[in-house]
Amino acid sequence: MKRKTGRCVLILLVTAISSSFYHFTPDTGKDYSEFRLRKVAESPGFLKAPDYWADSVLMSLSMEERIAQMIMVAAYSDHNKENEQEVKELIQTYNIGGLIFFHGSPYHQAGLTNIYQSIAKTPLCIAMDAEWGIGMRLDSTISYPRQMMLGASRNEKFIYEMGSQIAEQLSRIGVHINFAPVADVNNNPENPVINSRSFGEDRANVTSKSLLYMRGMQDNGIMAVAKHFPGHGDTDIDSHADLPVISHSFSRLDSLELFPFKELINSGISGIMTAHLQIPAIDSLDGIPSSLSRIVIDSLLKGELGFNGLVFTDAMSMKGITNYFLPEEAVEKAVLAGNDILVMPGDVRLAIKTISGMIRDGIISEGEINSRCQKILLAKFWMGLSEYKPVDLQNINNDLNKDEYRLLERKLIESSLTVLSNKNGLLPFRRLDTLSIASVSFGDPGDSTFQKSLNLYTTVRQYHIQEGAKYVWDSILNEISNCNIVIANLHSNDRRAGTQYGIANDMIELIDLLSKFRNVVLNVFANPYILDRFEDPDRFSAIVVSYENSDIVQDLSAQMMFGAFGASGMLPVSVGRWNALLSGQEVQGINRLKYSIPLEAGMNRKILEQIDDTISVSIACQAMPGCQVMVVRNGIVIMNKAYGHHEYNGVRKVKTTDLYDLASVTKAGATVPAIMKLYDEGILDIREKISAYLPDLKSTNKRN
């Protein structure tokens, strides 16, 4: 049953808050002298913009429209016509302030943005949750690694570059705000909602990487919004489903959870998103979420920490709010708490009516609403909305998939791969002629990219185990009995502790059993917290944490194991006997061929595409039935492709794994390029007889 609170009680609450402004101080005995230095926090850049445009727009708006500027609603670009019509009506009827886009396609989202902006009286600020890039929400776009994987990287310059690239991609589709970085310190393995979205459990690591991510975006015109204040990392309840309670002392919260937010504020972050959490050490009023608490937002965030940027609620449609408050009650509390923007408050008409009633009844002043509206308009000026231009829809998909983006994605993954143990320097695999290797995938249904990439270097036997498939185990054990190395690959996209991270106990038991009898290399393409479920990790010959189960991660992890490049990642969270940022061995590459994209080798992809045309013509005119083309530059394979068939009858297709007789290939492969070069240099005349250049042939049947 939902509670109802009368306005007279709310007035009393305001009075109570003002009398206990620093009510949490006596509980901690903390010296606040350093803490209060946050008063000199760097102001966000948008507040330094000239205010003439914001002032003129503010004067043109009615009070209801000024209130509406504080509201942001959900929009979808997945051909949801009902949502599209609803958003249009909200823009035209109320002049709402902004939209947050969710799943769909980049082309359709950009097109909808143009439509929505064209009917808006006041330009809309457009936001997205793009924590690991716009691929988090949109198809056909780049997804960089999640923050936990990035927490393992020692190369922090890549994090700034990622922020810059994400800003460029967001700008390309008309987005101004990214609800990122996640500045939560994830120190609870049971956390169902933050977990892999955090840079880890070390506050300094979370802070430094959050700062770089923020700067990369804000230096390139995208507003960064750190979340989820005052820290959602130590919860075992998802605030989408209920209201989590954090019972730590304020001293602990100040030293850990608040630490990244303080530094981000001090460095000029533009936005903060508040979390739906109950934190008695800050606000002891029973059942008040931090997102609706004036003590958390007005007293702590704005007062003590000196933050004067935009404060966003987390989505007010989440059950951490809706399970406990009526919509109008939640709106009242959110506004009184000090939030500038209400994200997805539900009934927009009701929200505007509620805030208008608060002004009428003297609960909040017109001046306060005007101040928040002006701050939003200043941000819109900083976003370039005073001179809005529609999004150019031409080549949008190509622009969002530049080779530079793909290359950085690979570098981020490479720098994050973590080797936790490596007995006798087993990795990278060296004497391949002495190794008989089997790969057993647990949780992957078919030929994985990882197993295909292993076979680029040597012949590896492939096996697959699904949940409940123990009945095939004996036959697999028998088949791999003569292998001296077994790679056990653990695959899962499930990052939730409550579902055992998507890996059933019988799979863990089989891997444990295997490690008793074989040299097992464990590779975890899953949440690293899963390592805590193994019986004796010391039995493994090597342990690699690859963090994610995407094709590109699988490919690069296989290449690292064969020495195409090294590994230097450090585990960003504590698991079992491994401590955060203290666990991870540096493994050197051994200059084996690396497989990558042309840009990494300094080549133009478009030039290589001409090879396809040449081969197609050659096969069509029967110059050859088929072939394999491999292009290698600077030790990097940038093309490895099969064309056509082995014979003209078209029965057997050419594969990239086919082996060719190099002795025969060499006759043409070595001689032709040499003659071409000599001809280009004017040294050789191709119309001359060969004996003119090789006199010893004059006395043979090759003289002519």
Side-chain angles (χ1 to χ4, degrees), residues 494-512:
D494 193 333
R495 297 168 178 84
R496 299 167 296 167
T499 54
Q500 298 182 306
Y501 306 111
I503 298 295
N505 285 330
D506 61 349
M507 294 191 191
I508 301 293
E509 292 167 4
L510 290 175
I511 297 173
D512 275 331

Side-chain angles (χ1 to χ4, degrees), residues 92-298:
Q92 292 176 314
T93 305
Y94 301 108
N95 194 29
I96 56 173
L99 308 174
I100 171 172
F101 269 101
F102 290 94
H103 44 81
S105 71
Y107 182 85
H108 195 213
Q109 177 173 316
L112 282 176
T113 297
N114 286 345
I115 293 170
Y116 295 149
Q117 293 284 22
S118 71
I119 62 175
K121 175 182 175 181
T122 306
L124 297 154
C125 58
I126 308 295
M128 284 183 73
D129 276 314
E131 295 166 18
W132 50 90
I134 62 176
M136 178 177 173
R137 297 297 184 191
L138 302 178
D139 60 32
S140 310
T141 53
I142 297 281
S143 285
Y144 298 93
R146 288 181 175 230
Q147 288 190 191
M148 181 175 285
M149 186 173 192
L150 299 179
S153 175
R154 300 191 205 185
N155 197 328
E156 293 196 330
K157 74 172 185 178
F158 291 156
I159 309 298
Y160 179 86
E161 290 179 25
M162 182 188 74
S164 301
Q165 288 190 0
I166 289 174
E168 188 174 298
Q169 293 158 32
L170 289 167
S171 295
R172 181 64 184 85
I173 56 174
V175 175
H176 316 106
I177 301 170
N178 189 5
F179 291 140
V182 174
D184 302 315
V185 180
N186 196 87
N187 46 19
N188 188 339
E190 303 294 316
N191 197 317
V193 63
I194 303 303
N195 210 300
S196 63
R197 297 164 64 194
S198 164
F199 286 117
E201 72 174 57
D202 181 86
R203 69 174 194 172
N205 190 37
V206 171
T207 301
S208 63
K209 290 189 165 87
S210 294
L211 282 168
L212 288 163
Y213 188 4
M214 176 267 284
R215 286 174 179 148
M217 287 191 290
Q218 293 194 171
D219 286 353
N220 291 278
I222 292 295
M223 176 179 286
V225 178
K227 59 189 185 186
H228 305 80
F229 184 86
H232 207 320
D234 195 3
T235 64
D236 56 7
I237 293 175
D238 184 348
S239 51
H240 291 84
D242 207 342
L243 182 63
V245 178
I246 296 181
S247 301
H248 297 301
S249 68
F250 183 78
S251 178
R252 147 63 194 264
L253 294 167
D254 182 26
S255 64
L256 188 63
E257 276 80 4
L258 288 172
F259 186 84
F261 292 100
K262 288 191 285 187
E263 296 306 314
L264 285 161
I265 291 166
N266 207 37
S267 299
I269 193 161
S270 293
I272 298 284
M273 176 174 280
T274 56
H276 306 319
L277 306 168
Q278 186 180 353
I279 311 177
I282 301 178
D283 191 339
S284 58
L285 195 62
D286 184 39
I288 290 294
S290 46
S291 55
L292 307 184
S293 167
R294 185 162 183 173
I295 295 175
V296 171
I297 298 171
D298 193 53

Side-chain angles (χ1 to χ4, degrees), residues 415-546:
S415 70
S416 301
L417 294 173
T418 304
V419 177
L420 284 183
S421 65
N422 190 24
K423 292 180 182 177
N424 301 315
L426 177 63
L427 295 177
F429 300 129
R430 287 179 170 82
R431 289 287 307 277
L432 301 185
D433 57 327
T434 68
L435 300 180
S436 176
I437 303 175
S439 169
V440 185
S441 287
F442 293 83
D444 192 88
D447 291 334
S448 66
T449 299
F450 177 68
Q451 291 186 323
K452 291 175 183 175
S453 296
L454 292 175
N455 276 318
L456 293 171
Y457 296 96
T458 190
T459 300
V460 177
R461 301 185 195 179
Q462 313 285 2
Y463 302 93
H464 307 275
I465 298 289
Q466 293 296 302
E467 182 179 351
K470 292 177 74 171
Y471 63 90
V472 301
W473 187 240
D474 289 341
S475 63
I476 291 177
L477 280 178
N478 183 56
E479 288 187 37
I480 64 176
S481 59
N482 61 346
C483 293
N484 49 22
I485 290 178
V486 178
I487 305 171
N489 326 306
L490 207 50
H491 297 270
S492 177
N493 294 312
D494 193 333
R495 297 168 178 84
R496 299 167 296 167
T499 54
Q500 298 182 306
Y501 306 111
I503 298 295
N505 285 330
D506 61 349
M507 294 191 191
I508 301 293
E509 292 167 4
L510 290 175
I511 297 173
D512 275 331
L513 177 66
L514 186 63
S515 69
K516 294 178 181 179
F517 308 107
R518 294 282 178 274
N519 287 323
V520 174
V521 176
L522 176 65
N523 198 328
V524 179
F525 297 100
N527 192 309
Y529 287 125
I530 207 168
L531 288 166
D532 204 27
R533 292 169 60 191
F534 289 99
E535 185 178 274
D536 183 6
D538 284 332
R539 286 203 299 257
F540 294 113
S541 298
I543 299 175
V544 178
V545 183
S546 297

Side-chain angles (χ1 to χ4, degrees), residues 320-504:
I321 295 290
T322 61
N323 281 357
Y324 300 94
F325 300 94
L326 294 169
E328 60 269 30
E329 186 180 14
V331 167
E332 286 182 347
K333 291 183 180 296
V335 172
L336 280 176
N339 290 288
D340 297 302
I341 295 182
L342 311 182
V343 179
M344 298 165 59
D347 188 332
V348 170
R349 183 195 64 81
L350 179 62
I352 295 172
K353 180 181 177 182
T354 299
I355 300 170
S356 296
M358 293 169 65
I359 297 171
R360 184 185 63 246
D361 295 345
I363 297 173
I364 194 166
S365 69
E366 286 189 13
E368 180 61 32
I369 298 299
N370 290 339
S371 175
R372 296 186 201 185
C373 180
Q374 186 185 46
K375 186 160 58 170
I376 293 166
L377 293 171
L378 283 170
K380 289 186 175 186
F381 182 87
W382 180 84
M383 295 168 188
L385 286 169
S386 63
E387 299 177 353
Y388 171 74
K389 295 179 181 178
V391 181
D392 181 3
L393 301 182
Q394 295 294 317
N395 299 313
I396 196 163
N397 284 335
N398 287 336
D399 292 344
L400 294 173
N401 287 278
K402 293 179 181 177
D403 289 345
E404 291 84 355
Y405 302 158
R406 297 290 178 191
L407 182 56
L408 178 61
E409 178 190 10
R410 300 178 76 88
K411 288 180 178 178
L412 287 164
I413 293 167
E414 289 177 19
S415 70
S416 301
L417 294 173
T418 304
V419 177
L420 284 183
S421 65
N422 190 24
K423 292 180 182 177
N424 301 315
L426 177 63
L427 295 177
F429 300 129
R430 287 179 170 82
R431 289 287 307 277
L432 301 185
D433 57 327
T434 68
L435 300 180
S436 176
I437 303 175
S439 169
V440 185
S441 287
F442 293 83
D444 192 88
D447 291 334
S448 66
T449 299
F450 177 68
Q451 291 186 323
K452 291 175 183 175
S453 296
L454 292 175
N455 276 318
L456 293 171
Y457 296 96
T458 190
T459 300
V460 177
R461 301 185 195 179
Q462 313 285 2
Y463 302 93
H464 307 275
I465 298 289
Q466 293 296 302
E467 182 179 351
K470 292 177 74 171
Y471 63 90
V472 301
W473 187 240
D474 289 341
S475 63
I476 291 177
L477 280 178
N478 183 56
E479 288 187 37
I480 64 176
S481 59
N482 61 346
C483 293
N484 49 22
I485 290 178
V486 178
I487 305 171
N489 326 306
L490 207 50
H491 297 270
S492 177
N493 294 312
D494 193 333
R495 297 168 178 84
R496 299 167 296 167
T499 54
Q500 298 182 306
Y501 306 111
I503 298 295

Side-chain angles (χ1 to χ4, degrees), residues 200-202 205 570-575 577-583:
E201 72 174 57
D202 181 86
N205 190 37
M570 300 288 283
L571 197 67
V573 291
S574 296
V575 184
R577 62 183 178 80
W578 293 292
N579 295 317
L581 300 188
L582 296 175
S583 304

